[in-house]
Amino acid sequence: MKVTTASILALAWAGAATVVAPGRAAAADAETSAGSTTQIGEIVVTAQKREQTIQTVGMSIQAASGDALVQRGVNSTGDLVKLVPGLTASDTGYSGAPQFGIRGVIYLDPSLAANPTVSTYNDQVPLPFSIEALGSTLDLERVEVLKGPQGTLFGDNATGGGINYIAAKPTKTFQAGTDVQYGRFNTLDAQGFLSGPVSSTLDARIAVRTVQANGWQKSYVTPGLTLGARNFWTGRLTLNWTPTSRLRVVGTLSGFVDHSQSTAPQFEGYAPLSPVPASANIQNFPIAPANAQAAAWSPCVNDAPFNNHCVGYRRNNRFYLASIRADYDLGGDITLTSLTSYERFLQYQPLNQDGTIYQDAQTINTGHLGTTYQEFRLSGRILGHGAWIVGVNYQNDDIAEKSNLTAPDSSAAHIIPAIGINSTAAIDAHTYAVFAHGELPVTSNLTVEAGIRYTRSNQDFVGCQRDNGNGILAAFYNAAFGTHDVAGGCTTLHESAAGITSVQVVSKLDEDNVSFRVGANWKVARDVMLYANISQGYKAGAYSGLSATSDFQYDPAVQEKLLAYEVGFKSELFNRTLQLNGAGFYYDYTNKQIQGDERDVIFGALAKLVNVPKSHVEGFEVSAIWRPVAGLTLTPVVSYAHSRIDGNFTQYNYLAQLQNFTGERFPGVAELQADVDAQYAWDFSDSVRGFVGVNVNYQGSSNSALGDLPRTRLPSYTLVDLRAGIEKGPIRVQVWGKNVFNRYYYTAQIHSLDTYIRYAGMPATYGVTISYRYR
């Protein structure tokens, strides 16, 4: 590991910590209340699979109540960048879900089967794929964001951290509530819940949310056309059964249905994939203006297998989750926990991926994700003070995805006339793990902790590019390479000494690893704690499910290892009116997985997963919650993550040019991020209070792809949100605006077949939210 002087200095003083937005949370003293105490209350989290106050956990954690998320306009996981320093959300436009990174640890693979580096959970139930988290912000008690490798307690694919959504639980008395939001583009976002007892031992809670909106994108080529309409439904039923004082069972059924329109990227420029140019229509297409709403798209997407069926851009994506958690008190401070879940996601998603009204890259993506998960663990106390956990778990992921590409106007169509290509990929993954974690007070001020997990994974992969059934691609390959292909058959090329053949790729990847964590927490004063920890985590090896012209594109990237060093402090100062937390970190990467390219003599640059042998990230984060006077809450945060590729790493870029990437930062990583939220609340009378708030969020510049080339760079931007409202008893009325200065920005800019495209962020939006709670 190469540790610089700057690294050591950063580790000595810098930091990352807790952001708790003001609002009406369960802990009343932790929220802003006009005319009340200015002290910051305690927040309880389950970052280590047991309840602890957030200021006593020796790691960087962000937490926010469900009500605070509503008040600050956090309607999706991607909106968490407003609350969490170091969190990034990149839009690939392919799966419909953002890809998350924390502190520069991110994995940019647009395929449905992509395992993230920041995993999401619903009440500790893993959601292995980012798209499954789309409905997770429904009726929350709180959300917790854990930073750094979480492998010892949460397993692989959490090298960057984890996002755990804690759903609001059934209550012993009848309660109800609703939040109804109406805003620009005729957007209606309405959710509500009912909760209460069913019998003396059974309590229930049901929550439902719908988002309906008109299209917000406008065609700058065909006036009157709009795209991006929303039609999203999600719901959850939770049952809490306590048949005895020693047994508690929580069952959950949840899911979502998404019939929204897929949005279109903006056309940024022309760059042919193959040596033969694309059609003149693509070459001469007008570049999109710098306006978030401006876009262009072909009127329909051609369906397979014969490219004669026109479909719109409506998705038909569905997700279902069933889970049961049982906790049984064995006596002697020992609890047995069983966590069982099954989830399934089904995808049908047409996409425009060229930003034009022609067919340079039109796709229909279909597939399914199925996950079965089982965990057993024992937990207890050590002499009434410390804590321990031991457990085992098993996970099976059944993945299948298919992409139908039609590109008759592309440069590839001049090589393969009437091009229409299907690709299919299937993965069957089995993961087994055993883990242990313990925490023990050594003195009244010093606590040490340690954890370890052994994981073994077995992945079986089958995939190929296919003729779409009309036989044109098969006939071309037969004539060009003598491959003996048939209509509807595999056409992925394999080159050997015997010549070129078409194959179905069958591959197997078996891996194991040991994650660990050791740390110490030192209470130097009543309200000041210092901590240090070393942790090691892994991201499982990965196959890409994207279309593969050549079999090398299906070569897996082996598992990546992240060794993390972190020191930090947590403090509550000035009679607990100021919470100031911080940490510095150094991450040592081995075999980082990244989306690269290989050069093909026929088709130019072809996407391929690659491993970067050595790289690192170093940085710091600092955050505060300050209540200088009653009613005023200031929440500033800043994060810096300096990522670099080390050693000698040479690879092709997306233009099929051989390039040395040594010294380059990771794609999708903004080095500097900052956010400040301010809210002031005051009493109009004994029963009515008002509040005003502002949020300013800065995202530094980054790049969407390896190579740091100008056409894929993402400029920095600053967004400003405003809010104001009144509360009277159980009713709150709030007016709000997001991106009030209508800042034009984009979250991804990539090369897609023959075009440069970008995905613009939302323009200015505004509206009103009415909330009601009955307790």
Side-chain angles (χ1 to χ4, degrees), residues 622-636:
V622 178
S623 67
I625 305 174
W626 185 30
R627 294 183 179 164
V629 296
L632 177 62
T633 302
L634 304 175
T635 313

Side-chain angles (χ1 to χ4, degrees), residues 92 94-95 99 107 109-115 401 543-546 595:
T92 65
Y94 189 84
S95 66
Q99 296 174 320
Y107 177 62
D109 178 2
S111 62
L112 183 64
N115 286 314
E401 57 181 309
Y543 289 93
S544 177
L546 301 180
Q595 188 75 44

Side-chain angles (χ1 to χ4, degrees), residues 481-540:
F481 308 114
T483 51
H484 306 292
D485 294 333
V486 297
C490 288
T491 58
T492 295
L493 299 176
H494 169 73
E495 186 174 356
S496 66
I500 297 177
T501 58
S502 290
V503 297
Q504 176 175 263
V505 176
V506 179
S507 178
K508 188 176 183 64
L509 182 63
D510 296 333
E511 298 175 311
D512 64 351
N513 60 69
V514 176
S515 299
F516 68 83
R517 176 186 177 86
V518 292
N521 306 331
W522 180 29
K523 199 102 172 184
V524 297
R526 187 187 69 173
D527 294 323
V528 179
M529 184 184 78
L530 303 180
Y531 69 87
N533 56 63
I534 302 173
S535 55
Q536 179 172 282
Y538 288 82
K539 181 187 179 301

Side-chain angles (χ1 to χ4, degrees), residues 371-653:
T371 298
T372 303
Y373 181 81
Q374 176 63 57
E375 177 173 299
F376 294 105
R377 65 178 186 258
L378 288 169
S379 58
R381 308 286 293 177
I382 301 175
L383 302 177
H385 298 287
W388 59 268
I389 297 175
V390 295
V392 297
N393 57 39
Y394 165 77
Q395 180 173 315
N396 172 232
D397 296 313
D398 173 28
I399 306 161
E401 57 181 309
K402 178 180 179 180
S403 177
N404 170 51
L405 168 70
T406 55
D409 296 313
S410 70
S411 60
H414 292 277
I415 302 173
I416 308 173
I419 186 171
I421 298 174
N422 289 337
S423 65
T424 58
I427 301 173
D428 185 26
H430 299 264
T431 305
Y432 313 82
V434 55
F435 62 92
H437 185 272
E439 183 178 307
L440 180 65
V442 178
T443 69
S444 58
N445 295 326
L446 179 64
T447 300
V448 296
E449 63 174 294
I452 191 168
R453 173 185 290 254
Y454 172 76
T455 303
R456 179 163 185 82
S457 64
N458 308 110
Q459 298 186 61
D460 294 295
F461 173 87
V462 178
C464 73
Q465 174 185 278
R466 294 179 178 272
D467 176 277
N468 71 354
N470 59 17
I472 295 176
L473 182 61
F476 171 79
Y477 275 21
N478 290 338
F481 308 114
T483 51
H484 306 292
D485 294 333
V486 297
C490 288
T491 58
T492 295
L493 299 176
H494 169 73
E495 186 174 356
S496 66
I500 297 177
T501 58
S502 290
V503 297
Q504 176 175 263
V505 176
V506 179
S507 178
K508 188 176 183 64
L509 182 63
D510 296 333
E511 298 175 311
D512 64 351
N513 60 69
V514 176
S515 299
F516 68 83
R517 176 186 177 86
V518 292
N521 306 331
W522 180 29
K523 199 102 172 184
V524 297
R526 187 187 69 173
D527 294 323
V528 179
M529 184 184 78
L530 303 180
Y531 69 87
N533 56 63
I534 302 173
S535 55
Q536 179 172 282
Y538 288 82
K539 181 187 179 301
Y543 289 93
S544 177
L546 301 180
S547 180
T549 301
S550 296
D551 60 346
F552 63 75
Q553 294 177 264
Y554 284 138
D555 291 342
V558 300
Q559 64 185 357
E560 64 181 30
K561 181 179 74 173
L562 180 64
L563 182 61
Y565 304 83
E566 179 175 342
V567 297
F569 65 89
K570 295 188 174 185
S571 63
E572 293 175 312
L573 309 173
F574 307 120
N575 194 28
R576 298 181 67 184
T577 61
L578 171 63
Q579 186 181 95
L580 179 64
N581 296 351
F585 56 89
Y586 184 94
Y587 290 170
D588 187 6
Y589 245 130
T590 302
N591 285 330
K592 176 177 173 57
Q593 299 170 5
I594 206 163
Q595 188 75 44
D597 291 274
E598 289 285 350
R599 184 175 183 274
D600 183 86
V601 294
I602 300 175
F603 297 104
L606 298 178
K608 182 183 184 299
L609 290 178
V610 297
N611 289 105
V612 178
K614 296 296 295 182
S615 54
H616 74 274
V617 186
E618 57 186 349
F620 65 87
E621 295 166 353
V622 178
S623 67
I625 305 174
W626 185 30
R627 294 183 179 164
V629 296
L632 177 62
T633 302
L634 304 175
T635 313
V637 296
V638 63
S639 171
Y640 176 77
H642 178 80
S643 63
R644 283 297 179 268
I645 293 175
D646 301 322
N648 185 15
F649 180 62
T650 301
Q651 185 73 31
Y652 287 96
N653 61 30

